[in-house]
Amino acid sequence: MTEKARRETGREARSERPAAAPAGDAVLVTDPAGRIVSCDGTLERMLGVSVEALVGRGLRELLPPRPGPQPPGHYVSETRGADGRPLTLAVSLHACSSEPRMQLAIVRDAGAQEYQAAELLRLATAVEQTGDAVLITDSRGFVEYVNPSFEQITGYGRDEVLGLGAGFLKSGRHDRAFYDSLWRTIESGEVFRATFANRKKDGEIFFEEKTISPIRDREGRITHYVSTAKDVTRRVQAEERLALLANYDGLTGLPNRNLLMDRLAQAIARTQRRRGHLAVLYLDVDRFKTVNDSLGHASGDALLKEVAHRLRQCIREEDTLARLGGDDFVILLETLRRPEHSVRILEKIYEAFRQPLAIEGRALHVSPSIGVSLHPRDGADAQALLMQADIAMYCAKESGKNCYRFYQPRMARRVQDLFHLETDLRQALERKEFWLAYQPQIDLATGRMTGAEALLRWARPDQVPLPPAQFIPVLEDTRLIDPVGRWIVQTACEGWQAVRHAAAAPPTLALNFSSRQFQDPYLANFLEQTLDRLGLPASLLEIEITEGTLMESTPSTVHNLDAIADLGIGIAVDDFGTGYSALSYLKRFKVNRIKIDRSFVWDAPHDADAAALVKAILSLARSLGIDVVAEGVETEAQLDFLRAHGCTTVQGYLTGRPDSFEALVRRLREDASPAPQRLQ
């Protein structure tokens, strides 16, 4: 056979390649003597020998059988490849139907097959043993495979999920847009990555960091999707806790300053687009420090939680309630049609706080002082609006508390003045700028002084005295009242030593005490030590407290009042009739005297209601055996009315203005003359 005929015959025979022969197999044709007639390029690539050099060589010479028994029509040959690495080749021999004298040889890289099988085994083992959850679906999203980690993490068994749509893990925390984005991404052949909030079989929410990748066949068609996921629940929960701490108040669960400022900035932007209005309400709980100091921090915390609860009931769903710290709360009112609509919310808040708060078995009366700033009237900056509302709140407190004030530009100046006032007050005691004035209490029957009230006065250097109403609240708010109060007690009691020698029947010394001072657990001890040091009888001392202090009935207040009464010091209720007037407290705390508020005394001669109230107080006091002092007596008409209805003691400008200690002593000496003057 000529060379040309041999090649033609080889091509014809090679065209009979068995369908079972993979594309990577080499196909050869041998003649009856076993010489290679033709071959394809695959064997050339396997051995690194050109086709021309292969043709004419004996097959068994080129690829000798491995020693040992071989199955008929098949054998294994071991040689080296083009890259020098050992090759294990499987050779199978087939008859040619087109040319019976020829044989068709299929040469397969058995080592590559073993390697690929090993690789597949390693891959399958890795997928089965990895700690990440692996899920494979078909192109429609129906589950075809899950690994053991998937079963462990989700609680679903493999048999439970095969054939299900992959959405069986959905928790409801992702919206439709999320899943639309997912499918758009993977159907376009791209990889989708996200943190999923899914639901386990037992209903527990868990978080997984998931990657979903498309799998393509040889033609590039997407046939499957593989999802690999890592359980990141602990990390996400830690991040959520950190975010919670960064943006929410740990006690009340309300947004904190950080989140409030973010929401306020966004609200301002929305309001500007809509050309609407918003309001910032800065709220401070009146007397919170007193409750916190007297009942303890646990009660203070419980009070703040209850305040937060009540405030939530007063606002709309779209509004924001935040706690800035301490007893400071802020309410953001958005979407106001008109600025004055905020008044409705304010009135609702004050209505809610008219009822006492039940705190650990006690009924506590607290009230809010609220400052209000408005956008766009007061500015377009979140920080500025909050500061202006804060300023307005301070002005509300200065106005008597339990009220609200809208911000006005002049308020900023007032708050600055208050700051300077506080600074000066902190130095006033050291600079000896305080002094005491004494106002006599006069017996109507004899005209003699039976008592005197010590009143605190203060003036900055080279300035006129400041009204007490302007600086005493600042002393209380800053707790400077504690050292100043002790100075008052020591100074007045030391002076009363001289009073004892100026009068045969020394008058009673009346000292005012705030509710803040009664939170000092050593108040009664301090009074006792002062009296003992000076040798001053306790019967000459009387403390004056307001009805509010009496009604607080905190452990510290109760302890001090009982201890003071046991010492023999008198207890007087100041401004009686302006507060709660709970009669049981008069006996509970051994009250010796009540002082009728000046507002009732002023109106009594010409106002029927005021007259009836004064007469009722006098009648009540007589029935309880309690003395009465009428304050603020400035006219003869008032004096006549009081005398006519049985009042025995008065105090006011008509009978004696507050004066120096020296003037007080002079008057006592005058009273000691043989013929005292009866008030006419």
Side-chain angles (χ1 to χ4, degrees):
M1 181 182 292
T2 65
E3 184 65 28
K4 180 179 179 181
R6 187 183 296 112
R7 286 197 297 269
E8 290 295 328
T9 302
R11 276 196 295 271
E12 290 176 4
R14 212 166 58 243
S15 66
E16 297 182 17
R17 178 189 189 100
D25 291 358
V27 179
L28 300 82
V29 178
T30 64
D31 61 16
R35 293 189 298 270
I36 299 173
V37 174
S38 69
C39 67
D40 60 15
T42 305
L43 188 60
E44 178 182 357
R45 289 191 292 274
M46 284 182 181
L47 302 178
V49 180
S50 69
V51 172
E52 289 75 12
L54 292 172
V55 172
R57 294 187 63 178
L59 177 60
R60 290 180 179 269
E61 176 191 350
L62 179 67
L63 300 175
R66 187 169 60 185
Q70 305 283 352
H74 300 273
Y75 72 88
V76 175
S77 177
E78 293 179 343
T79 183
R80 290 191 177 274
D83 57 0
R85 68 181 178 87
L87 279 180
T88 300
L89 301 177
V91 181
S92 59
L93 304 172
H94 305 271
C96 291
S97 58
S98 61
E99 182 58 55
R101 293 176 304 163
M102 300 292 184
Q103 272 194 323
L104 196 66
I106 307 298
V107 180
R108 178 174 299 165
D109 188 346
Q113 282 186 308
E114 292 174 2
Y115 177 79
Q116 290 171 358
E119 283 291 294
L120 288 174
L121 179 61
R122 282 193 292 271
L123 177 61
T125 302
V127 170
E128 285 285 303
Q129 297 183 9
T130 182
D132 293 350
V134 178
L135 177 147
I136 300 175
T137 73
D138 63 17
S139 60
R140 298 172 299 165
F142 292 100
V143 178
E144 292 188 354
Y145 170 82
V146 294
N147 72 343
S149 290
F150 178 93
E151 297 178 289
Q152 181 181 0
I153 292 171
T154 67
Y156 285 100
R158 181 174 303 186
D159 294 340
E160 294 179 274
V161 302
L162 293 181
L164 294 180
F168 70 90
L169 290 174
K170 287 182 180 179
S171 66
R173 293 198 178 187
H174 300 292
D175 58 16
R176 185 186 182 111
F178 177 85
Y179 292 105
D180 287 345
S181 173
L182 184 160
W183 280 105
R184 278 196 308 271
T185 301
I186 61 176
E187 285 180 341
S188 68
E190 297 180 4
V191 176
F192 183 85
R193 294 182 178 87
T195 299
F196 286 69
N198 282 332
R199 191 180 300 276
K200 297 182 180 181
K201 182 179 179 179
D202 62 6
E204 179 187 350
I205 298 294
F206 73 107
F207 297 89
E208 49 182 352
E209 206 168 66
K210 183 176 291 191
T211 299
I212 303 175
S213 306
I215 300 175
R216 299 177 184 271
D217 61 14
R218 293 180 182 274
E219 285 72 35
R221 295 187 299 256
I222 295 175
T223 61
H224 294 80
Y225 298 107
V226 58
S227 161
T228 58
K230 186 181 297 293
D231 188 343
V232 293
T233 303
R234 290 185 178 180
R235 191 196 75 194
V236 171
Q237 289 175 343
E239 290 171 351
E240 289 180 344
R241 284 193 293 270
L242 289 174
L244 192 67
L245 292 173
N247 294 295
Y248 290 88
D249 172 49
L251 177 64
T252 63
L254 297 176
N256 61 11
R257 179 185 292 270
N258 184 46
L259 184 55
L260 170 70
M261 297 307 290
D262 180 65
R263 289 188 181 180
L264 180 53
Q266 294 181 36
I268 290 172
R270 286 192 296 268
T271 302
Q272 289 173 340
R273 288 195 299 269
R274 298 168 183 165
R275 297 185 179 181
H277 303 272
L278 67 79
V280 177
L281 280 56
Y282 199 117
L283 182 149
D284 182 88
V285 181
D286 300 331
R287 298 175 50 251
F288 171 73
K289 289 184 177 65
T290 300
V291 174
N292 201 46
D293 292 344
S294 59
L295 298 181
H297 294 301
S299 295
D301 289 348
L303 174 61
L304 291 173
K305 290 180 182 178
E306 182 60 26
V307 167
H309 174 71
R310 290 208 178 179
L311 290 175
R312 280 195 192 98
Q313 310 307 309
C314 299
I315 61 176
R316 304 165 300 174
E317 186 175 350
E318 64 265 30
D319 298 329
T320 294
L321 170 63
R323 177 178 176 237
L324 302 190
D327 58 332
D328 290 343
F329 294 83
V330 171
I331 298 173
L332 168 59
L333 302 178
E334 200 176 346
T335 65
L336 295 176
R337 292 184 180 179
R338 302 179 64 182
E340 53 268 27
H341 288 172
S342 60
V343 174
R344 299 174 186 172
I345 303 294
L346 289 164
E347 291 174 347
K348 195 173 181 180
I349 291 172
Y350 282 100
E351 180 64 30
F353 281 89
R354 286 195 176 96
Q355 298 300 319
L357 281 71
I359 305 298
E360 298 182 344
R362 294 185 177 87
L364 299 181
H365 290 268
V366 297
S367 58
S369 292
I370 305 176
V372 185
S373 63
L374 300 169
H375 170 76
R377 190 194 75 176
D378 298 326
D381 175 72
Q383 191 64 46
L385 286 172
L386 187 64
M387 182 180 69
Q388 290 160 351
D390 189 11
I391 289 172
M393 182 274 293
Y394 273 103
C395 291
K397 278 191 168 296
E398 190 186 19
S399 299
K401 303 180 181 180
N402 194 25
C403 63
Y404 63 85
R405 291 289 182 270
F406 282 84
Y407 175 77
Q408 299 293 335
R410 56 181 169 78
M411 289 180 174
R413 176 64 182 172
R414 177 58 188 152
V415 170
Q416 189 176 24
D417 290 343
L418 285 173
F419 173 78
H420 293 311
L421 180 66
E422 178 183 336
T423 302
D424 291 343
L425 279 171
R426 292 186 180 279
Q427 302 171 348
L429 194 60
E430 182 180 345
R431 294 175 177 176
K432 299 181 179 180
E433 294 172 359
F434 292 117
W435 75 91
L436 296 177
Y438 297 85
Q439 186 171 34
Q441 298 170 345
I442 304 300
D443 184 284
L444 287 179
T446 64
R448 286 194 170 95
M449 186 192 310
T450 58
E453 181 180 358
L455 302 169
L456 183 64
R457 296 291 185 264
W458 175 54
R460 295 183 175 100
D462 303 322
Q463 294 187 28
V464 298
L466 212 62
Q470 291 188 19
F471 69 86
I472 288 181
V474 179
L475 289 175
E476 294 176 347
D477 289 342
T478 58
R479 302 190 178 186
L480 290 171
I481 194 65
D482 291 329
V484 173
R486 288 173 178 261
W487 175 84
I488 292 172
V489 170
Q490 292 174 338
T491 302
C493 288
E494 287 171 359
W496 228 244
Q497 287 286 62
V499 169
R500 291 179 63 195
H501 301 296
T508 300
L509 170 63
L511 300 175
N512 288 286
F513 284 81
S514 72
S515 60
R516 173 69 190 86
Q517 290 171 275
F518 270 87
Q519 307 318 312
D520 179 0
Y522 303 106
L523 175 61
N525 291 338
F526 170 70
L527 292 173
E528 182 179 19
Q529 291 170 4
T530 301
L531 294 175
D532 289 346
R533 178 172 60 82
L534 298 172
L536 196 65
S539 58
L540 290 182
L541 187 61
E542 180 179 88
I543 64 167
E544 293 188 6
I545 59 175
T546 64
E547 285 183 273
T549 302
L550 200 65
M551 286 290 293
E552 280 177 6
S553 191
T554 63
S556 182
T557 300
V558 171
H559 163 75
N560 278 316
L561 284 172
D562 287 342
I564 287 169
D566 291 342
L567 290 174
I569 298 172
I571 299 174
V573 179
D574 201 9
D575 302 332
F576 190 80
T578 60
Y580 306 102
S581 302
L583 304 183
S584 60
Y585 284 83
L586 297 179
K587 283 299 184 184
R588 165 67 182 85
F589 294 112
K590 303 176 184 177
V591 173
N592 307 100
R593 189 183 308 230
I594 56 179
K595 301 184 75 174
I596 304 175
D597 185 67
R598 65 182 65 249
S599 62
F600 304 131
V601 172
W602 182 267
D603 295 334
H606 57 271
D607 181 88
D609 291 338
L613 184 56
V614 171
K615 288 188 284 186
I617 293 173
L618 290 169
S619 175
L620 170 68
R622 280 194 296 270
S623 65
L624 295 176
I626 297 175
D627 294 335
V628 176
V629 176
E631 290 187 289
V633 179
E634 297 185 6
T635 68
E636 292 291 343
Q638 295 165 358
L639 190 67
D640 292 341
F641 175 87
L642 292 167
R643 182 185 290 111
H645 292 92
C647 183
T648 59
T649 308
V650 296
Q651 177 180 341
Y653 279 18
L654 181 66
T655 57
R657 290 175 173 268
D659 210 336
S660 65
F661 179 76
E662 292 74 19
L664 176 76
V665 173
R666 286 196 299 271
R667 179 158 184 169
L668 283 172
R669 288 172 178 159
E670 292 171 1
D671 284 352
S673 61
Q677 298 294 317
R678 179 181 181 275
L679 291 177
Q680 300 299 319

